[in-house]
Amino acid sequence: MDIKDYRNEIDSIDSQLIELFSKRMETAGKIAQYKRENNIPVLDRQRERELIDRVASLSPKELESYTVRLYQQILELSKSYQNSTANVRTELYSKIEKALAEKDKMQFPERAVVACQGVEGAYSSIACEKIFVSPSIMFVNSFDAVFSAVSQGLCQYGVLPVENSTAGSVNRVYDLMEKQHFYIVKSVRIKVNHSLVANKGTRLEDIKEVFSHDMAIAQSSEFLAEFSGVKITPCENTAVAAKRVAESGRNDVAAISSSACAELYSLETLRESVQNRADNYTRFICISKKLEIYPGADRTSLMLTLEHKPGALYNLLAMFSALGINILKLESRPLDGRDFEFMFYFDVEASVYSEKFLQMITELPGATEDFSYLGSYNEAV
């Protein structure tokens, strides 16, 4: 036999596999109907374990791990098909459908009162002005205060940094999102160019202290390494750093901030583009206490935890793969009080009007130990 003969044999086997797979899924559909009529949940973990154990025992030893992986994928597809045929409606599913109905013909508001952390000139305010046409910005002194202002009804929205291309995620914001049950309604990506700014007449060799935000300090670490013995002082954000330098009147301090802040606070730019990378971007999110989903929403943020067992993450990724959902971001973070166990941040790409999105929302409770839906939105440009 040559390779053509082997390929013909493979084609023949594939035809049989497809026929058997179709029969299996058809039977899974009948099981879904039975479960629906008898009020039985789609997910049955004991049955899954028994099935995996059985097919593993039937498989040749050298193919056992491959057989298990194959059937884990088949089980994910089967559950997905059962959920779709059973027309499952979770509480979250219904909440999302209601939000979609409310916002179906509405556009994102051009004007609103919005809370931002920092002072005039902060990158958050720049992001806010990209999200809204004419925002009324309320400046507060911390991320917690942004959430508090929205929660108390002092403003409708808040704008916060959530991720930087160099320094990574702003975990405090994610923690507050989950803890206080807020939703993301829009996001924007801002190109961040940091400059070293100081009072007029200041020389580089005179600088003894540099003020900036932790993220900006991390993003400019290579430049700061050039300054031997200079004190690095973290501030609430880069705009606050520039303001402190201006108010100090000193000629031995500087700030890593934006050129806009240099102009705003009458400072001199000593060095431009001091960040480590030229393609330095920060993503900002607009949050609301109420779930709002606007036309064009094609990005969804999730936080979730999985069972601490082999294959848990693989099975979840298999679910996204089976649904044809693209993962834009996947990041893990240790869980407090649980050794070597992690929670995961996911950003996924799927239109909120698509069947695969609603199917994902339906299946996630059964595929995870716990999960939080952080909202569906689009990214402003």
Side-chain angles (χ1 to χ4, degrees):
M1 292 178 68
D2 62 19
I3 191 168
K4 184 177 180 181
D5 296 319
Y6 289 125
R7 284 175 174 169
N8 287 336
E9 187 175 351
I10 287 287
D11 289 344
S12 176
I13 294 169
D14 284 342
S15 297
Q16 295 174 59
L17 285 174
I18 293 298
E19 183 178 351
L20 291 171
F21 178 70
S22 298
K23 288 181 179 179
R24 193 187 195 287
M25 294 297 275
E26 182 181 345
T27 304
K30 293 176 182 177
I31 292 173
Q33 182 178 351
Y34 178 88
K35 287 179 176 179
R36 182 171 65 250
E37 291 171 352
N38 292 274
N39 199 29
I40 300 172
V42 167
L43 180 65
D44 186 341
R45 294 198 184 279
Q46 182 176 347
R47 166 63 179 165
E48 285 189 4
R49 287 192 292 270
E50 290 172 352
L51 190 150
I52 292 295
D53 288 343
R54 186 175 69 84
V55 297
S57 67
L58 293 172
S59 172
K61 195 66 180 176
E62 68 272 16
L63 294 178
E64 184 176 320
S65 64
Y66 297 101
T67 303
V68 169
R69 285 163 59 188
L70 170 64
Y71 270 84
Q72 285 173 336
Q73 182 79 329
I74 288 174
L75 285 173
E76 290 302 320
L77 293 169
S78 181
K79 284 185 291 185
S80 176
Y81 184 63
Q82 286 190 34
N83 278 316
S84 65
T85 56
N87 198 28
V88 175
R89 292 293 187 271
T90 63
E91 183 180 348
L92 176 58
Y93 186 109
S94 299
K95 192 174 183 179
I96 290 172
E97 281 194 319
K98 182 180 178 182
L100 288 172
E102 288 177 351
K103 298 298 180 184
D104 190 43
K105 296 182 180 179
M106 295 178 63
Q107 296 298 316
F108 192 80
E110 294 186 348
R111 296 173 177 80
V113 180
V114 187
C116 291
Q117 187 262 343
V119 296
E120 194 67 55
Y123 283 111
S124 290
S125 67
I126 296 171
C128 183
E129 289 170 346
K130 285 202 70 172
I131 293 172
F132 297 92
V133 174
S134 182
S136 177
I137 300 177
M138 175 190 300
F139 288 105
V140 295
N141 61 8
S142 67
F143 294 155
D144 297 64
V146 172
F147 283 87
S148 180
V150 179
S151 184
Q152 293 176 34
L154 300 176
C155 53
Q156 187 176 355
Y157 301 105
V159 170
L160 295 144
V162 72
E163 175 183 19
N164 177 262
S165 58
T166 301
S169 295
V170 185
N171 289 320
R172 179 60 182 161
V173 173
Y174 276 110
D175 290 344
L176 289 165
M177 286 289 297
E178 182 187 33
K179 182 180 179 181
Q180 301 200 29
H181 306 293
F182 276 69
Y183 297 100
I184 304 171
V185 298
K186 207 171 189 65
S187 71
V188 66
R189 193 172 66 153
I190 300 289
K191 191 173 191 303
V192 176
N193 281 311
H194 294 309
S195 297
L196 185 72
V197 300
N199 287 307
K200 289 180 172 60
T202 300
R203 299 179 305 171
L204 279 173
E205 57 267 29
D206 295 332
I207 295 173
K208 296 178 181 177
E209 186 173 9
V210 175
F211 298 96
S212 197
H213 184 259
D214 283 331
M215 294 285 280
I217 291 168
Q219 294 158 24
S220 309
S221 59
E222 294 173 10
F223 171 75
L224 289 172
E226 299 175 14
F227 288 81
S228 177
V230 171
K231 181 182 179 183
I232 308 299
T233 302
C235 296
E236 293 91 330
N237 62 39
T238 56
V240 169
K243 187 177 181 182
R244 284 183 65 175
V245 168
E247 291 175 346
S248 74
R250 293 164 55 186
N251 290 110
D252 62 346
V253 295
I256 292 178
S257 190
S258 65
S259 56
C261 281
E263 183 178 352
L264 182 64
Y265 295 108
S266 301
L267 299 173
E268 184 177 356
T269 299
L270 302 183
R271 188 78 65 86
E272 294 181 345
S273 299
V274 300
Q275 67 273 7
N276 298 347
R277 293 172 48 178
D279 59 338
N280 185 34
Y281 289 89
T282 296
R283 280 186 65 232
F284 291 83
I285 54 172
C286 179
I287 62 167
S288 172
K289 190 64 178 173
K290 180 184 177 184
L291 175 60
E292 299 177 7
I293 305 175
Y294 291 91
D298 59 0
R299 184 173 188 140
T300 295
S301 292
L302 307 162
M303 294 179 69
L304 52 89
T305 56
L306 302 172
E307 287 187 277
H308 189 47
K309 66 176 186 179
L313 180 58
Y314 173 86
N315 291 336
L316 181 69
L317 296 177
M319 185 202 80
F320 285 119
S321 176
L323 292 175
I325 291 177
N326 186 35
I327 297 172
L328 300 172
K329 174 182 180 178
L330 168 55
E331 187 173 324
S332 63
R333 187 180 177 200
L335 281 168
D336 288 339
R338 295 168 65 172
D339 291 341
F340 303 107
E341 294 189 44
F342 298 86
M343 68 182 304
F344 298 90
Y345 304 142
F346 274 86
D347 281 354
V348 298
E349 184 180 29
S351 168
V352 289
Y353 299 101
S354 65
E355 275 299 318
K356 61 185 179 182
F357 168 79
L358 294 174
Q359 202 166 332
M360 173 190 74
I361 293 300
T362 299
E363 293 186 30
L364 275 172
T368 62
E369 188 176 85
D370 185 38
F371 93 98
S372 297
Y373 168 73
L374 303 183
S376 298
Y377 52 95
N378 70 343
E379 191 157 283
V381 295

